[in-house]
Amino acid sequence: MTSRNSDQINHLVTGAVDTHMHTAPGAFPRHDTDFSAARKAQQHDMRAVVTKNHHFETASRAMNVRDEVGFDMRGGITLNEWVGGLNHHAVDGVSNFNADIVWMPTITAANHLENAAVQMFEAEEDEKSGLSVLGDDGHLTQETLDVLDRIAEHDMVIGLSHLSPEESIALVDEATDRGVEEFLVQHPHANFLNYTHDQMRTITDLGATLEFHYICMSEMMGNAATIDDYVDAVDVVGPENAVMATDGGATANPPAVEQFKNFIRDMLDAGVSEADIEMMIKDNPKRIFDLD
């Protein structure tokens, strides 16, 4: 990285938001706690980070960081089996901690258990069962609809997580009618999702934003994407319908801030303009999370 490029990247990182980061404790060994992650982001003059946990909520932890560090960390809850799955009571509960986002099931989603190359727990591999937002009739389940109503009531963002593209499209279509305004489609290039360009267009036309993760270019995620895949996807949906994030935190990969810088560098090298990158790491995340 040249000195000029380093200055350019640091300039872009200033005021940026990483909308997807994992901190310790978590399902995998992590580089940082909430507090050390916040301090590192603060040292780079980032605007905010959003932390996620596969098992429990991160909203209360983010509140502690905001109070004690003075950095704008945001959090939410992932509706995996450990919090009762698609449980509207969990959504109500986390609203007491100013949660910003509700992620749909991840590692206990039926789609993940059926299609992910890497499973996190032997029991999940053996059972091959999991959570779906769709019933046997192909329609959204009542418990899913109850969750959507609570998310709309509390004005939270929905993260589509590890739901299949078909599930996610159906959910976004219904949730917009129920008053949910913001959606993030996590790692659409992941090998257990593998959105087509047509599916990317469909879900963004419904109002969702694609969340591209640098981690998808790592061995940990099966090298599911290349930088050209991201450039092509941006061309398909437009930078106004995308964000760049890391999904960082696992010790198997570089620290999240380093990944964030690498993502910016690689997109610049691939010919993506500074203006488009700023839209994806600043303007769009600030809109989605209602950041000043």
Side-chain angles (χ1 to χ4, degrees), residues 77-81 83 85-87 90-91 102-105 131 147:
I77 192 168
T78 306
L79 298 183
N80 279 323
E81 290 178 352
V83 299
L86 296 160
N87 176 9
V91 177
V102 174
W103 291 280
M104 293 297 113
L131 300 164
V147 163

Side-chain angles (χ1 to χ4, degrees), residues 9-288:
I9 291 165
N10 288 334
H11 170 72
L12 287 168
V13 169
T14 299
V17 180
D18 187 347
T19 59
H20 200 111
M21 181 188 296
H22 291 268
T23 50
F28 291 113
R30 305 297 185 188
H31 280 288
D32 288 297
T33 66
D34 301 319
F35 293 96
S36 61
R39 291 187 180 99
K40 289 178 182 178
Q42 193 174 48
Q43 289 166 4
H44 286 81
D45 295 320
M46 294 182 70
R47 173 63 181 83
V49 297
V50 183
T51 57
K52 181 179 182 180
N53 188 291
H54 290 294
H55 290 82
F56 298 111
E57 57 89 16
T58 56
S60 61
R61 290 163 51 172
M63 285 183 69
N64 286 337
V65 168
R66 293 196 297 272
D67 291 343
E68 296 185 29
V69 180
F71 178 76
D72 200 353
M73 179 173 280
R74 301 298 179 101
I77 192 168
T78 306
L79 298 183
N80 279 323
E81 290 178 352
W82 299 285
V83 299
L86 296 160
N87 176 9
H88 70 269
H89 298 295
V91 177
D92 286 336
V94 80
S95 71
N96 293 310
F97 305 119
N98 297 324
D100 290 276
I101 183 168
V102 174
W103 291 280
M104 293 297 113
T106 58
I107 56 178
T108 65
N111 178 69
H112 178 98
L113 296 173
E114 291 166 7
N115 297 304
V118 176
Q119 304 291 335
M120 291 188 178
F121 306 102
E122 288 184 6
E124 291 173 2
E125 284 188 313
D126 294 339
E127 293 174 10
K128 286 291 180 184
S129 61
L131 300 164
S132 175
V133 297
L134 300 178
D136 293 339
D137 61 0
H139 296 107
L140 295 172
T141 63
Q142 186 58 52
E143 63 180 359
T144 299
L145 298 178
D146 292 341
V147 163
L148 298 184
D149 287 340
R150 295 307 200 282
I151 292 171
E153 178 183 341
H154 299 302
D155 194 24
M156 296 173 180
V157 180
I158 289 181
L160 281 307
S161 296
H162 297 196
L163 300 181
S164 70
E166 294 78 14
E167 288 177 283
S168 293
I169 289 168
L171 188 145
V172 172
D173 194 19
E174 178 67 27
T176 53
D177 288 343
R178 291 172 178 263
V180 181
E181 296 183 357
E182 298 289 354
F183 308 83
L184 282 170
V185 183
Q186 279 75 35
H187 43 51
H189 295 89
N191 60 19
F192 49 85
L193 296 178
N194 201 24
Y195 275 70
T196 66
H197 284 172
D198 283 344
Q199 288 170 327
M200 291 180 187
R201 289 190 194 95
T202 296
I203 202 162
T204 55
D205 285 347
L206 289 170
T209 301
L210 303 184
E211 186 179 78
F212 301 135
H213 291 177
Y214 195 69
I215 196 176
C216 282
M217 296 195 293
S218 72
E219 185 176 346
M220 179 181 179
M221 290 287 283
N223 303 111
T226 66
I227 205 68
D228 288 339
D229 290 327
Y230 291 132
V231 173
D232 289 345
V234 172
D235 287 342
V236 167
V237 303
E240 67 276 11
N241 293 311
V243 300
M244 293 163 52
T246 63
D247 198 1
T251 55
N253 296 310
V257 172
E258 185 178 334
Q259 289 188 61
F260 201 67
K261 288 183 170 184
N262 289 343
F263 203 174
I264 294 169
R265 178 203 65 203
D266 291 350
M267 292 290 269
L268 287 170
D269 288 347
V272 180
S273 70
E274 281 196 35
D276 285 353
I277 291 172
E278 284 202 306
M279 182 176 291
M280 292 186 285
I281 64 175
K282 297 180 183 180
D283 300 340
N284 296 341
K286 289 176 183 177
R287 183 201 76 237
I288 292 165

